[in-house]
Amino acid sequence: MIHVPVLLQTVIDFLNIRPGGRYIDCTLGTAGHAAAILEKSLPGGSLLGIDADPRAIEVAKKRLEHYGGAAILVNGNFRSLRDICREHSFYPVEGILFDLGLSSLQLEDEERGFSFRFDAPLDMRFDPGQPITAANIINNFPEGDLAALLRKYGEEPQSRLIARKIVSHRPINTTLQLANIVGQASGGSRGRIHPSTRIFQALRIAVNQELTNIEEALEQTIELLHPGGRLVVISYHSLEDRLVKQFMRRESKGCLCPPDVPVCNCGHNPTLKLVNRKVITPSIAERKDNPRSRSAKLRAAERL
Ligand SMILES: C[S@@+](CC[C@H](N)C(=O)[O-])C[C@H]1O[C@@H](n2cnc3c(N)ncnc32)[C@H](O)[C@@H]1O
């Protein structure tokens, strides 16, 4: 299953790619964006591609083979962005891309448990070497903690009811078992969104510690970017987008002291300039051709 890169031309334009430049793709996936970035950075350009999923790295490696040493691929977590760049002496850079969430390669894999369209073990790890799976959370978290997780990461209004139902049906080991229980607890489908969508989102975020990773990685981008270098982030749900928006807004401001502090004591200087004030979303045509792009939101900023 090949993943269709979202907002491809906008990513290329906003990264402001130039021949000979160095770029980082923190979410390599099947290298759709990465291939286009490398192509545009020729001659002399290079790309460091990172993915937590070794299967994504395998696919990307084949796809980028003909770029030789210009493509450095690392199976790792972007939470360690600074260390990965140091290890490969790959900084400062002209651009950094995050295309968050999961790829079609993962979503369509019938064995990894990301989708309730296939019956599979409740796994949901991007990195199969990591110890916690979705089944661990579903079967071991105390009811209150499970409800809090479903509310926080899935914004699920019926989190307590669903958590109670899950706990009373333990052990739950497969995606379809879980989807049935969620369906029973929430009384079937409300509107266009399947009741399991939010629950699966919440579990995936928790298993992969997605929000903490994004927060930590964004902080590290500032020191890695050349002045004039660009940071481009595509997010797919409001929790991710909020983090990106807050980070870019904060870094584009000077003083961050509360309004009642008479004299600045934070000493904060702006490090970024916003490239787009209004968030960019895919065109109607792209959304139609690639339904996965429907919830995408792109934000970009330039290093001062
Ligand atoms: C939406 S896909 C990227 C698709 C890619 N842009 C393409 O064109 O094929 C997101 C990728 O990010 C990876 N990922 C998510 N969180 C990660 C993290 N913290 N560290 C490294 N990779 C991560 C996932 O494994 C997945 O392959």
Side-chain angles (χ1 to χ4, degrees):
M1 160 58 68
I2 199 71
H3 174 92
V4 181
V6 172
L7 287 165
L8 181 59
Q9 194 51 49
T10 316
V11 166
I12 298 301
D13 293 344
F14 277 43
L15 278 174
N16 208 5
I17 297 173
R18 56 170 189 79
R22 279 208 278 210
Y23 299 89
I24 306 175
D25 184 345
C26 294
T27 50
L28 184 66
T30 54
H33 287 114
I37 293 170
L38 269 166
E39 204 52 43
K40 196 84 203 255
S41 70
L42 294 176
S46 53
L47 175 127
L48 174 72
I50 304 171
D51 206 293
D53 186 346
R55 292 185 218 181
I57 295 286
E58 252 172 61
V59 176
K61 205 170 247 170
K62 284 205 190 95
R63 186 159 183 192
L64 302 178
E65 212 167 21
H66 58 286
Y67 292 103
I72 301 163
L73 307 189
V74 177
N75 181 202
N77 196 306
F78 60 56
R79 191 180 54 221
S80 311
L81 183 59
R82 180 190 298 115
D83 292 342
I84 295 172
C85 290
R86 282 206 186 127
E87 210 173 296
H88 294 271
S89 303
F90 203 90
Y91 62 92
V93 297
E94 277 71 36
I96 303 181
L97 170 67
F98 290 84
D99 176 24
L100 298 168
L102 77 172
S103 72
S104 309
L105 182 78
Q106 294 159 329
L107 191 64
E108 301 297 324
D109 188 324
E110 300 195 13
E111 287 164 13
R112 298 186 68 177
F114 286 111
S115 166
F116 48 89
R117 286 189 294 123
F118 319 111
D119 201 15
L122 279 168
D123 187 324
M124 302 196 194
R125 291 171 298 176
F126 292 148
D127 169 7
Q130 170 205 291
I132 306 285
T133 65
N136 296 141
I137 294 176
I138 284 289
N139 291 313
N140 298 312
F141 265 41
E143 186 179 316
D145 292 359
L146 191 56
L149 181 152
L150 300 181
R151 179 168 283 274
K152 187 171 170 204
Y153 295 148
E155 300 182 288
E156 171 54 62
Q158 303 202 69
S159 56
R160 284 166 70 177
L161 187 68
I162 295 175
R164 196 175 317 139
K165 197 90 176 171
I166 288 174
V167 169
S168 71
H169 280 76
R170 281 171 173 170
I172 301 167
N173 292 313
T174 74
T175 49
L176 289 194
Q177 253 179 302
L178 177 61
N180 282 335
I181 290 161
V182 172
Q184 284 169 31
S186 56
S189 192
R190 287 185 306 272
R192 281 193 313 130
I193 298 182
H194 189 285
S196 289
T197 306
R198 285 191 288 269
I199 303 303
F200 275 59
Q201 171 186 301
L203 285 169
R204 203 198 76 210
I205 292 176
V207 165
N208 297 293
Q209 298 176 14
E210 291 182 35
L211 302 182
T212 326
N213 289 341
I214 296 168
E215 267 185 307
E216 289 187 14
L218 287 176
E219 297 291 342
Q220 298 169 46
T221 58
I222 304 292
E223 67 192 75
L224 297 169
L225 282 166
H226 243 314
R230 294 279 180 93
L231 170 64
V232 174
V233 187
I234 308 177
S235 55
Y236 292 88
H237 55 77
S238 55
L239 300 170
E240 283 173 348
D241 184 54
R242 199 172 304 149
L243 290 181
V244 180
K245 182 166 84 181
Q246 283 170 353
F247 171 76
M248 289 187 177
R249 289 225 171 126
R250 189 192 75 212
E251 286 306 317
S252 62
K253 278 192 191 144
C255 169
L256 299 174
C257 291
D260 57 335
V261 173
V263 181
C264 169
N265 59 18
C266 73
H268 186 264
N269 287 317
T271 58
L272 294 175
K273 177 176 87 183
L274 300 182
V275 174
N276 55 326
R277 291 220 156 254
K278 225 175 142 244
V279 76
I280 311 275
T281 54
S283 65
I284 295 171
E286 178 169 0
R287 276 184 263 173
K288 198 161 155 258
D289 286 351
N290 180 13
R292 229 195 65 81
S293 74
R294 274 187 308 222
S295 51
K297 288 194 169 128
L298 182 146
R299 294 185 188 271
E302 185 172 303
R303 180 76 167 96
L304 290 170

